Amino acid sequence: MLTAQASPPQSTEDPPDTPLRPRRRSWAQALRRDWQLYSLAVLPLLFFLIFRYLPMLGNVIAFRRYEPGGDLLGEYWVGLRYFRMFLADPTFWQVFTNTAVIGTLTLLFCFPLPIILALLLNEVRTRWLKGFVQTVSYLPHFLSIVVVAGLILQTVSIDGVINQGLRAFGQDPVAFIQEPGWFRTLYVSSEVWQTVGWGTILYLAALTTIDSDLYDQARVDGANRWRQTWHVTLPGIRPTMITLLILNIGTFLAVGFEKILLLYNPLTYVTADVVSTYLYRVGIVSGSFSYAAAIGLFESLIGLALVLGANSLSRRVAGTSLW
């Protein structure tokens, strides 16, 4: 006699939930959902499009003969004529050398000093003193270039404060503005005074992201404040340092046009005349727009090469880069 075999009891528990991968929204869906946020980027994009990218079309006059009042993109094609002209011009190489020297001095002083000031401010434990030093160091950044140039000219003039101090010690006054050897010192020192305090903001923000447990562990290992700064603080802000260094190298040749234009004079051209002021005199004052465009394009290509080289070197040496 055959008996029916009982079927196994069926489980009443629900099967385990399998994790579902979130669907990736398309760009159009993200735009429809967050259009209010994306609309904030419209004005900056228009600014860069109108004032940064569209003017690049004007670089074509570096290869064409341009005359004021004629065709906007030049009259006829001349090839590399203007490039050969400025490469054979000794005046160009003089101003290019001045630009490189002033840019190097500015980078050597204005890049590390904000780091040092930020490290010193990070060690200050008195809140009011730290705030006072920050406020005093930030104020020069908000002064107009014209005001800064006026202060420099008044300070180093024949009847200025410095020469009055020299007379008080029995020394002869020095015509700082007319002496070519003093121009670079005046320019770099004014750049340090005006930019060092403002440059500490990013470094102070980067210092707040360092884990405090790292300092505790360093103290347990017997590290003093100097060792903590060298092995904990500096590695913590290294990405910020490298990023700003690459950006500063990119503007290596773009030294302050406005300040130099306000401070220099024909007596100091030998050390003060840079590429930007030379372009102003040649392109705007003299009307050689194609020649000035060729020099400007050459300067931009050098800046691009410096940025790419610094970024590649940073990626290989430090493992950090912009892209």
Side-chain angles (χ1 to χ4, degrees), residues 267-290:
L267 295 176
T268 58
Y269 277 177
V270 65
T271 58
D273 199 14
V274 295
V275 173
S276 56
T277 55
Y278 180 68
L279 289 179
Y280 169 75
R281 294 200 314 275
V282 172
I284 304 299
V285 178
S286 301
S288 301
F289 296 100
S290 295

Side-chain angles (χ1 to χ4, degrees), residues 162-235:
I162 296 180
N163 279 317
Q164 289 180 8
L166 292 176
R167 290 192 186 99
F169 286 98
Q171 302 294 326
D172 295 330
V174 179
F176 293 100
I177 296 301
Q178 285 77 31
E179 291 289 339
W182 281 102
F183 182 85
R184 293 167 182 170
T185 302
L186 295 175
Y187 176 83
V188 175
S189 59
S190 65
E191 281 290 298
V192 170
W193 174 70
Q194 192 175 9
T195 62
V196 165
W198 183 257
T200 61
I201 293 179
L202 292 178
Y203 295 112
L204 290 174
L207 288 171
T208 60
T209 63
I210 300 176
D211 190 357
S212 59
D213 293 339
L214 297 176
Y215 292 103
D216 296 335
Q217 295 174 8
R219 281 192 293 268
V220 170
D221 293 337
N224 54 23
R225 296 300 301 176
W226 169 251
R227 290 294 181 182
Q228 293 176 35
T229 301
W230 184 260
H231 295 288
V232 178
T233 306
L234 289 179

Side-chain angles (χ1 to χ4, degrees), residues 48-300:
F48 280 100
L49 177 64
I50 297 174
F51 295 102
R52 291 294 185 268
Y53 289 98
L54 286 181
M56 290 183 183
L57 298 176
N59 286 324
V60 71
I61 67 173
F63 307 95
R64 299 176 64 87
R65 172 69 176 177
Y66 175 80
E67 296 179 357
D71 191 349
L72 185 61
L73 298 180
E75 301 297 332
Y76 53 87
W77 186 265
V78 296
L80 300 177
R81 173 188 174 186
Y82 297 109
F83 291 90
R84 289 191 293 266
M85 286 176 59
F86 75 74
L87 290 177
D89 185 5
T91 305
F92 168 76
W93 291 112
Q94 178 183 344
V95 299
F96 184 82
T97 302
N98 293 338
T99 305
V101 172
I102 294 178
T104 302
L105 293 174
T106 304
L107 185 63
L108 288 177
F109 286 96
C110 293
F111 175 72
L113 288 180
I115 302 174
I116 297 173
L117 181 59
L119 294 176
L120 294 176
L121 289 174
N122 190 51
E123 298 297 326
V124 176
R125 294 296 176 258
T126 306
R127 180 172 297 182
W128 69 267
L129 179 59
K130 182 177 181 179
F132 175 76
V133 173
Q134 287 180 281
T135 303
V136 172
S137 61
Y138 292 168
L139 284 178
H141 173 78
F142 297 98
L143 295 178
S144 170
I145 297 295
V146 178
V147 175
V148 174
L151 290 174
I152 297 172
L153 294 176
Q154 291 296 325
T155 302
V156 301
S157 64
I158 295 296
D159 297 327
V161 176
I162 296 180
N163 279 317
Q164 289 180 8
L166 292 176
R167 290 192 186 99
F169 286 98
Q171 302 294 326
D172 295 330
V174 179
F176 293 100
I177 296 301
Q178 285 77 31
E179 291 289 339
W182 281 102
F183 182 85
R184 293 167 182 170
T185 302
L186 295 175
Y187 176 83
V188 175
S189 59
S190 65
E191 281 290 298
V192 170
W193 174 70
Q194 192 175 9
T195 62
V196 165
W198 183 257
T200 61
I201 293 179
L202 292 178
Y203 295 112
L204 290 174
L207 288 171
T208 60
T209 63
I210 300 176
D211 190 357
S212 59
D213 293 339
L214 297 176
Y215 292 103
D216 296 335
Q217 295 174 8
R219 281 192 293 268
V220 170
D221 293 337
N224 54 23
R225 296 300 301 176
W226 169 251
R227 290 294 181 182
Q228 293 176 35
T229 301
W230 184 260
H231 295 288
V232 178
T233 306
L234 289 179
I237 64 175
R238 184 174 62 180
T240 303
M241 294 167 54
I242 292 176
T243 300
L244 293 179
L245 178 61
I246 294 174
L247 294 177
N248 288 335
I249 291 176
T251 58
F252 178 76
L253 296 179
V255 295
F257 163 73
E258 296 88 355
K259 185 181 292 185
I260 293 179
L261 186 66
L262 293 170
L263 292 178
Y264 82 155
N265 57 74
L267 295 176
T268 58
Y269 277 177
V270 65
T271 58
D273 199 14
V274 295
V275 173
S276 56
T277 55
Y278 180 68
L279 289 179
Y280 169 75
R281 294 200 314 275
V282 172
I284 304 299
V285 178
S286 301
S288 301
F289 296 100
S290 295
Y291 183 72
I295 298 177
L297 182 59
F298 176 75
E299 181 185 15
S300 300

